Amino acid sequence: MSDTRSQIVEVADKLFYERGYEHTSFADIAAVVGLSRGNFYYHFKTKDDILDAVIQLRERKTEVLLDGWAEQAHTPMERLDQFIGMMVMNGPQIRRYGCPVGTLCTELAKLEHPALPRASMLFTLFRQWLADQFTQLGFGDRADVLAMHLLARSQGIATMANAFDDEQFIRHETEQLQAWLRTLVPTALTN
Amino acid sequence: MSDTRSQIVEVADKLFYERGYEHTSFADIAAVVGLSRGNFYYHFKTKDDILDAVIQLRERKTEVLLDGWAEQAHTPMERLDQFIGMMVMNGPQIRRYGCPVGTLCTELAKLEHPALPRASMLFTLFRQWLADQFTQLGFGDRADVLAMHLLARSQGIATMANAFDDEQFIRHETEQLQAWLRTLVPTALTN
DNA sequence: GTCTATACCCAGATAGAC
DNA sequence: GTCTATCTGGGTATAGAC
């Protein structure tokens, strides 16, 4: 994998997030990387190939992110807090561009793009990681349902914060989410 | 307003929802209406003009919808149930295309399209209507916050159901939403 | 591996006949 | 009000020189 190639994927990742997949052209990516449009096709034959590479990159980044959280936080509850904290930390980006995973899935669904299942796999990575934490908290039978609930809540927050360009809303709703987690789990179990 | 014009707007409304704004071309709309591309410009000068007309149409439709709910249901709680029930009723469409309002706002935000504020006004219509119901339930000071919360929850449900093509998830989460409403409001107040 | 040049198509948009 | 014909720009994609 050449350095130019990974540069292309990094830039495409960013532009697909900020402008959307369809609205990002080869020329846009090439301009940022500092490449001619023609040379582009040495690295990627089609736009779908770039999308595949971007999704793959995001998979790797997500795994690194989740592993990092697992290292930094030692209890399941603290790890769930890391997930919620991500929304606050990424507030400015979410306000402008929404959630990278959610907005990509939304776009691909409308395009009836064959890569949609691969994009929603990014959700699945979070889903399984969150379910793991709930399992460790003793919700074995409801772990997946709770994980999906938490994901949905975060998606709703991102969509509304994006539509209304409202960062205060993120802070308020994430506090609500943390409160919900606390009512869910008896305090004794959180440490 | 000619009949052809309203036909165009109706078709554009549907296609913008199903395929997205950018991915829908004049030719697509003209083909469905049974019009030549050239004649299109007699009715609309630019694509943005069509978008404006579509948003306006949706505003009218939303007002009719909300008025209808207010007529059918006579207590605030029943009216909130109508809102939640809409998600179940529109389950198949949501699964395939997401929420019409949420996905439009998401797309326009990425395009940095000047019509975004007008599109999010559609959210505002729901927001105010929902806040009205919460006010009538005695949550005057928190009515808007609760309305936004309910909207965000519904957006999250739509995004996840769309990404995973999962209608069962809609049913489960809407039941959770109804349960949440019941814990929020003492039973004595719901009638 | 990178470039220029170019083919090709489809989009939005216009002109003008009917 | 509707049509055909056409312009222009941008997009994806290819060929071939360096």
Side-chain angles (χ1 to χ4, degrees):
Chain A
M1 174 142 15
S2 76
D3 194 53
T4 306
R5 186 193 156 94
S6 31
Q7 245 188 299
I8 290 173
V9 181
E10 285 285 350
V11 169
D13 180 21
K14 179 178 153 72
L15 292 183
F16 286 177
Y17 172 41
E18 293 177 357
R19 308 183 187 179
Y21 170 66
E22 213 180 10
H23 194 57
T24 302
S25 71
F26 282 18
D28 292 335
I29 303 171
V32 175
V33 178
L35 229 73
S36 77
R37 263 175 308 157
N39 185 29
F40 214 95
Y41 291 83
Y42 172 79
H43 300 280
F44 293 97
K45 302 288 174 223
T46 71
K47 200 176 178 184
D48 287 359
D49 288 345
I50 306 179
L51 178 60
D52 270 348
V54 166
I55 293 175
Q56 212 178 323
L57 172 67
R58 291 193 185 182
E59 276 170 0
R60 288 198 304 272
K61 282 185 176 174
T62 302
E63 278 157 12
V64 169
L65 182 74
L66 295 176
D67 288 350
W69 288 348
E71 274 181 35
Q72 281 176 41
H74 298 291
T75 69
M77 183 56 86
E78 279 170 9
R79 288 174 179 167
L80 292 172
D81 281 341
Q82 295 265 4
F83 172 78
I84 295 172
M86 167 185 63
M87 278 186 283
V88 179
M89 198 147 75
N90 296 339
Q93 288 80 38
I94 291 172
R95 228 181 54 196
R96 293 189 62 178
Y97 312 115
C99 165
V101 182
T103 55
L104 180 62
C105 287
T106 296
E107 184 177 2
L108 295 181
K110 289 206 196 269
L111 301 180
E112 299 193 76
H113 197 290
L116 173 59
R118 290 205 57 206
S120 56
M121 259 302 298
L122 296 169
F123 269 140
T124 305
L125 290 177
F126 284 99
R127 179 180 182 170
Q128 291 174 339
W129 188 90
L130 292 172
D132 271 357
Q133 312 313 318
F134 283 115
T135 298
Q136 287 175 44
L137 284 172
F139 294 99
D141 51 337
R142 288 201 293 150
D144 181 64
V145 165
L146 291 171
M148 277 294 280
H149 179 81
L150 192 44
L151 273 179
R153 293 276 288 268
S154 72
Q155 286 304 302
I157 293 168
T159 302
M160 298 308 289
N162 185 220
F164 284 110
D165 196 11
D166 183 346
E167 204 170 339
Q168 170 59 32
F169 176 70
I170 299 179
R171 278 192 292 276
H172 180 266
E173 280 288 321
T174 49
E175 280 166 21
Q176 292 294 107
L177 258 186
Q178 281 172 328
W180 168 74
L181 275 182
R182 263 67 187 177
T183 60
L184 196 68
V185 181
T187 318
L189 275 174
T190 62
N191 285 320
Chain B
M1 175 145 13
S2 76
D3 195 53
T4 306
R5 187 194 156 93
S6 31
Q7 246 188 296
I8 290 174
V9 181
E10 285 284 351
V11 170
D13 180 20
K14 180 178 151 71
L15 291 183
F16 286 176
Y17 174 40
E18 293 177 357
R19 308 183 187 179
Y21 171 66
E22 213 179 9
H23 193 57
T24 302
S25 71
F26 282 18
D28 291 337
I29 303 170
V32 175
V33 178
L35 228 74
S36 78
R37 264 173 307 156
N39 184 30
F40 216 95
Y41 292 82
Y42 172 78
H43 300 280
F44 293 96
K45 302 288 176 224
T46 71
K47 200 178 178 183
D48 287 358
D49 287 346
I50 305 178
L51 179 59
D52 271 347
V54 166
I55 293 175
Q56 212 177 324
L57 173 67
R58 290 192 186 183
E59 277 170 358
R60 288 199 304 274
K61 283 185 177 176
T62 301
E63 277 158 12
V64 169
L65 183 74
L66 295 175
D67 287 350
W69 289 347
E71 274 181 35
Q72 282 175 41
H74 298 290
T75 69
M77 183 56 87
E78 279 170 9
R79 288 174 179 168
L80 293 172
D81 282 341
Q82 295 264 6
F83 173 78
I84 296 173
M86 168 186 62
M87 279 186 282
V88 179
M89 199 146 76
N90 296 340
Q93 287 78 38
I94 291 172
R95 230 181 53 197
R96 293 190 62 179
Y97 312 114
C99 166
V101 182
T103 56
L104 180 62
C105 287
T106 297
E107 183 177 2
L108 296 182
K110 288 205 198 270
L111 301 181
E112 299 192 76
H113 196 290
L116 173 59
R118 290 205 57 204
S120 55
M121 259 302 298
L122 296 168
F123 269 139
T124 305
L125 290 177
F126 283 100
R127 180 180 182 169
Q128 291 174 338
W129 188 90
L130 291 172
D132 271 356
Q133 313 312 318
F134 283 115
T135 298
Q136 287 175 43
L137 284 171
F139 295 98
D141 50 338
R142 289 201 292 149
D144 181 63
V145 165
L146 291 170
M148 277 294 280
H149 179 81
L150 192 44
L151 273 179
R153 291 276 288 268
S154 73
Q155 285 305 303
I157 294 168
T159 302
M160 298 308 289
N162 185 221
F164 285 111
D165 196 11
D166 184 345
E167 205 170 338
Q168 170 60 32
F169 175 71
I170 299 178
R171 276 192 293 277
H172 180 266
E173 281 288 322
T174 48
E175 281 166 21
Q176 294 293 109
L177 258 187
Q178 281 171 328
W180 168 74
L181 275 182
R182 264 66 188 177
T183 61
L184 197 68
V185 182
T187 319
L189 276 174
T190 61
N191 287 322

